[in-house]
Amino acid sequence: MINWLDAATFESLLCELAREGRTLNQCLQSGAVFAVWIPEKLLYLFPPWQLDPTGKPSPVLEEVLALLRGQYGVSGGERTSGWEELEWFIAPHAQLRGNSPSEMLILEPALVLEAARQDLSSWSADARW
């Protein structure tokens, strides 16, 4: 979690267009951005790999998070602290040539979305990641 950002720093990088008039908390709740909850410090930390150089989140992030948090996702549709989703994002993935989804989220968003669909859809052979 080295180089992860606190809410104030992340919000300063997040472009206004990406927020669409919403607060950072609203963006987090809607799945427009991703963070993990640190209960010991009572704060969220945000990985910088979800933003492109202009401060826009990956165009597929919201859909990937919906799959990760859905019925066939990492917690069977139950609310999480983000740590469960993080495991999927940082694990090497065969469909991404051994790269992790977090490494490819900005570079090849369509491939990351397809990998998420393959892993986390009802028709997936491995439904429930």
Side-chain angles (χ1 to χ4, degrees), residues 64-122:
V64 170
L65 286 172
L67 288 164
L68 283 165
R69 295 171 177 164
Q71 179 181 358
Y72 301 100
V74 295
S75 64
E78 298 296 318
R79 188 168 173 83
T80 73
S81 62
W83 291 102
E84 296 85 349
E85 293 94 330
L86 180 62
E87 286 186 51
W88 186 86
F89 276 118
I90 64 173
H93 200 290
Q95 283 186 258
L96 302 174
R97 300 174 298 281
N99 294 301
S100 69
S102 64
E103 293 172 313
M104 303 300 288
L105 193 60
I106 296 298
L107 299 172
E108 296 280 352
L111 290 178
V112 174
L113 180 56
E114 184 56 31
R117 286 180 177 149
Q118 291 294 320
D119 289 348
L120 307 163
S121 296
S122 63

Side-chain angles (χ1 to χ4, degrees), residues 6 16 22 25 27 29 32 34 39 41 45 48 59 62 69 71 74 77 82 84 98 101-102 114 119-120 126-127:
D6 64 23
E16 189 62 39
R22 299 176 291 180
N25 191 49
C27 290
Q29 296 302 316
F34 172 69
K41 296 186 179 189
L45 287 180
E62 202 163 344
R69 295 171 177 164
Q71 179 181 358
V74 295
E84 296 85 349
S102 64
E114 184 56 31
D119 289 348
L120 307 163
D126 298 320

Side-chain angles (χ1 to χ4, degrees), residues 6-17:
D6 64 23
T9 305
F10 185 80
E11 190 168 27
S12 73
L13 296 175
L14 186 63
C15 80
E16 189 62 39
L17 181 64

